[in-house]
Amino acid sequence: MNLAEQHRICAENPEAFWQQAASLIDWSQAPTRALPDAAADGGWFADGRLNTCHNALDRHVQAGHGDRPAVVFESGINGASQILSYAELAAKVQECAAVLQRLGARAGDRVLIFMPMIPDVVVGMLACARIGAIHSVVFGGFAAPELAARIDDAEPKVLLVASCGLEPSRVVDYMELVNGALTLAEHSVDAVLVKQRPEHGAVLLPGRDHDWDHELAAHAGANVPCVDRSSSDPLYILYTSGTTGRPKGVVRDNGGHAVALAWSMANIFDITAGDVWWAASDVGWVVGHSYIVYAPLLAGSTTVLYEGKPVGTPDAGTWWRICEKHQVRGLFAAPTAIRAIRRADEPGEHVRASQLTSLKTLYVAGERIDPETADWARRTLQVPVVDNWWQTETGWPITVTIPSDESDSGASSRAGGQPSPGYDIAVLNDNGEPVPTGDEGSICIRLPLPPGPASAIWGDEERYTTEYLSTFEGYYLTGDGGFLDENGRLHVLGRTDDVINVAGHRLSTGALEAIVAAHRAVAECAVIGRADALKGQTPHAIVVLKDGHSPDTDAVATEIVELVRAEFGAVAALREVHIVSALPKTRSGKLLRRTMRDLAEGRTTVVPGTVEDPSIVESLRGELGTTSQPAAR
């Protein structure tokens, strides 16, 4: 893979590049033009027509690959295991599509899906795509008010739900949440299709609720043709993680989405037909949409669907046993998951207990991966660690960090990322002017964006423009800060609101976190800014120690302060280090930095509905406000 060369070719002739990429997709009407026409208000491949479900399933079956595994399901919680071939998955999708049509769903209607990580969630998504309905998958862990807000925003005709979700220590009653949400919501749905799980059976409301297995069985052998869709027709709505207040539903089109994902699967992730791929995320997040469901199936590969945690279901070796069992070639994970595994198994004993000869690459995204964790993963797994940076809004990687060679230890976290084709990156100052090489600023992307990114915010035509396109004319604002180095590689330092001002010096908390994380006893950390009467702000480090480490916490705090002074300089003015048992984060692995800042400054904070464990927030409420470890001056 030579991403820089691909980027150059695309920049020189984007029309030819993306027309060639479009050949990876079956079109019922091939597009005559790739690039969007601003004058005609058209999107990518504007006159093309296709069906995404056909591209994910039917064409592979028709090509004689119906026996190839499409979805491998493993539950680390109840021990369930299942393999669905492309032909079997296609049959289930047609059954579900027939049920949706019977319940009144048609092309353009919305269908909200509220399910855990079980094969039925994939069936439901593809069934919607088949009939042209617009699906909106809501992460199965939201409270009723969050779910109600999304129901009111998307106004679905049908809900696809499971009776429950499984956590390591409890069963989550999904129908209780659904019933509560429908009571709160102003919008009324026509029907609720319920997948009953053996761990908890839901009581169905006559007239509204329908049993998933009974309905699909009644439509066994259904033959539901794929509904032809325009390239620019919406495929799905996905609400961004951590959203509070007014929901923000990212809209993804059919054509540009399919082309971008099919291209990225082969050219970024090195996965082709027949390979086994595992994106260890949740279908409720963008990684799940793009790289659990659509991209691997568009490529004709096998995708792993996992219900469980990286540790504790039952141990830190679960992932590696699954990789061995199914011969996984590429593994995609959040850095926080790798840190959790490292924390529980620093020596790598679980890794050595598995035969991982099939695994070629570990891909990480979602949060910055610190050099220590990247080095640990590379040494322990004996594979390259490739970082990729993107957003819910873009749908596929903006940049990819490719180690220059096998000896480039930690390259994935230090060398910066090469932009993917179509992403023309600029780093701008507050006046919208490009900054000199090496200087920090706001990361922006020159318009037009490549195929694949969001085309709109659902139900609010102006919001997309206001939030992303109005700050700097001609640019998409990512909301992240960073710099470009002399080789054109982008270094992402974190959200622009994660830059703190210490006595007039703008400091990246991401750069400070990288130093703190390098301490031998640190498993994971966050650095936040707290208001200071003298300096404006001062940095505070919040640290989780590795399992098995029980050092003198005062000594660790002192060492961290001295390490930051030595590596960053006295300007950082780090004085306080908080040793805590866990950091608050979302279910997708993102640290709740804003929540931690609010707690540290004693402000009232609204905990997002995406939080993984609300009790962690509560335990920090007192600690961050009052407790810190003494540190050297």
Side-chain angles (χ1 to χ4, degrees):
M1 176 175 58
N2 188 331
L3 204 63
E5 180 66 9
Q6 297 268 29
H7 187 271
R8 182 190 65 77
I9 293 171
C10 179
E12 290 177 353
N13 193 339
E15 176 69 25
F17 183 92
W18 290 115
Q19 279 285 27
Q20 182 178 7
S23 66
L24 297 170
I25 296 300
D26 277 2
W27 302 83
S28 55
Q29 177 179 305
T32 60
R33 177 180 172 83
L35 289 167
D37 186 346
D41 195 28
W44 282 91
F45 315 105
D47 61 345
R49 299 190 69 83
L50 74 162
N51 182 277
T52 298
C53 180
H54 166 83
N55 276 278
L57 295 178
D58 298 61
R59 63 170 176 162
H60 304 308
V61 176
Q62 293 166 7
H65 304 304
D67 292 337
R68 179 185 297 159
V71 174
V72 167
F73 171 63
E74 294 284 351
S75 175
I77 300 178
N78 68 3
S81 181
Q82 183 181 10
I83 297 177
L84 289 172
S85 69
Y86 271 88
E88 290 168 336
L89 180 58
K92 286 183 175 293
V93 166
Q94 294 205 62
E95 293 167 4
C96 186
V99 175
L100 286 174
Q101 290 180 332
R102 188 188 77 76
L103 297 176
R106 298 292 183 268
D109 289 337
R110 274 77 63 208
V111 174
L112 190 141
I113 303 175
F114 190 62
M115 286 184 162
M117 289 287 287
I118 55 178
D120 307 272
V121 70
V122 181
V123 171
M125 293 170 70
L126 292 171
C128 291
R130 191 172 195 87
I131 65 173
I134 304 166
H135 65 69
S136 182
V137 180
V138 176
F139 171 71
F142 275 111
E146 296 281 349
L147 180 56
R150 286 147 179 78
I151 291 172
D152 279 338
D153 195 69
E155 298 183 326
K157 183 176 285 287
V158 179
L159 300 188
L160 305 183
V161 306
S163 61
C164 69
L166 304 181
E167 294 289 339
S169 60
R170 66 188 182 114
V171 174
V172 182
D173 187 340
Y174 276 23
M175 280 304 292
E176 181 182 16
L177 297 171
V178 168
N179 290 330
L182 291 175
T183 300
L184 294 171
E186 295 181 5
H187 174 75
S188 298
V189 302
D190 290 356
V192 181
L193 187 60
V194 184
K195 170 67 179 181
Q196 299 278 23
R197 301 194 72 186
E199 290 81 6
H200 175 77
V203 177
L204 304 187
L205 182 65
R208 187 198 71 178
D209 299 344
H210 306 266
D211 183 271
W212 175 286
D213 290 328
H214 174 79
E215 291 287 343
L216 265 64
H219 292 80
N223 182 13
V224 179
C226 291
V227 174
D228 203 33
R229 303 297 281 160
S230 168
S231 175
S232 59
D233 283 337
L235 173 67
Y236 69 75
I237 304 165
L238 177 60
Y239 293 94
T240 57
S241 62
T243 297
T244 57
R246 189 168 47 134
K248 183 167 68 173
V250 168
V251 179
R252 199 82 66 201
D253 68 3
N254 274 271
H257 170 261
V259 171
L261 291 191
W263 185 91
S264 71
M265 206 63 198
N267 292 280
I268 292 178
F269 298 107
D270 193 27
I271 298 294
T272 57
D275 289 335
V276 181
W277 163 261
W278 182 9
S281 181
D282 190 286
V283 173
W285 310 124
V286 69
V287 170
H289 278 58
S290 293
Y291 293 108
I292 294 177
V293 180
Y294 286 111
L297 297 181
L298 288 168
S301 58
T302 300
T303 184
V304 175
L305 189 74
Y306 174 66
E307 180 184 46
K309 305 290 185 182
V311 298
T313 56
D315 55 40
T318 301
W319 280 21
W320 317 129
R321 291 190 293 272
I322 291 174
C323 285
E324 177 184 5
K325 177 180 178 181
H326 298 291
Q327 295 294 287
V328 172
R329 176 180 174 87
L331 174 63
F332 187 124
T336 187
I338 304 302
R339 283 193 287 267
I341 292 173
R342 177 192 174 197
R343 182 184 181 192
D345 184 27
E346 175 80 22
E349 294 175 358
H350 285 294
V351 176
R352 290 192 294 274
S354 298
Q355 295 294 322
L356 298 180
T357 54
S358 66
L359 187 63
K360 303 303 179 186
T361 312
L362 171 66
Y363 301 90
V364 292
E367 283 271 308
R368 292 182 301 273
I369 185 166
D370 57 277
E372 293 297 315
T373 299
D375 287 346
W376 177 87
R378 181 188 167 277
R379 292 193 314 270
T380 307
L381 297 173
Q382 292 293 296
V383 298
V385 179
V386 175
D387 202 349
N388 56 111
W389 170 68
W390 46 298
Q391 303 175 317
T392 297
E393 292 83 352
T394 67
W396 64 289
I398 301 171
T399 65
V400 181
T401 302
I402 304 165
S404 58
D405 58 59
E406 287 300 306
S407 64
D408 193 1
S409 176
S412 58
S413 57
R414 290 199 287 263
Q418 297 282 359
S420 298
Y423 288 105
D424 188 357
I425 295 172
V427 178
L428 308 180
N429 62 22
D430 292 342
N431 297 320
E433 302 162 337
V435 301
T437 297
D439 284 5
E440 297 177 23
S442 294
I443 301 173
C444 300
I445 304 169
R446 290 185 181 88
L447 300 176
L449 296 174
S455 57
I457 299 299
W458 180 258
D460 194 337
E461 295 182 3
E462 298 299 322
R463 190 173 181 184
Y464 183 81
T465 299
T466 301
E467 293 200 11
Y468 301 106
L469 307 181
S470 62
T471 302
F472 302 119
E473 185 176 358
Y475 291 92
Y476 167 90
L477 178 69
T478 69
D480 280 283
F483 65 92
L484 288 164
D485 65 22
E486 64 278 5
N487 296 311
R489 298 176 300 193
L490 180 68
H491 299 249
V492 182
L493 300 176
R495 303 299 291 175
T496 51
D497 59 3
D498 284 335
V499 173
I500 61 176
N501 194 315
V502 180
H505 301 282
R506 289 171 57 84
L507 307 180
S508 164
T509 56
L512 296 175
E513 285 175 6
I515 297 170
V516 174
H519 189 282
R520 65 187 183 283
V522 174
E524 57 182 341
C525 67
V527 173
I528 60 171
R530 190 158 72 174
D532 182 86
L534 178 63
K535 297 179 180 291
Q537 286 181 296
T538 54
H540 291 249
I542 307 169
V543 171
V544 178
L545 300 181
K546 296 174 183 176
D547 284 359
H549 284 259
S550 56
D552 182 329
T553 53
D554 286 2
V556 170
T558 299
E559 290 171 4
I560 289 173
V561 168
E562 292 174 347
L563 182 63
V564 170
R565 177 183 289 270
E567 295 290 331
F568 196 94
V571 67
L574 178 68
R575 293 291 183 270
E576 293 192 68
V577 177
H578 302 262
I579 308 295
V580 300
S581 59
L583 298 179
K585 60 190 69 170
T586 68
R587 298 284 183 136
S588 63
K590 291 183 172 60
L591 291 176
L592 296 175
R593 289 183 171 85
R594 179 178 299 177
T595 299
M596 286 187 276
R597 286 197 299 269
D598 289 344
L599 292 174
E601 296 188 348
R603 292 192 297 268
T604 300
T605 183
V606 177
V607 181
T610 52
V611 65
E612 181 178 27
D613 186 351
S615 67
I616 294 175
V617 177
E618 293 305 315
S619 69
L620 289 177
R621 194 177 298 277
E623 290 182 2
L624 295 186
T626 60
T627 304
S628 65
Q629 302 297 335
R633 293 293 188 266

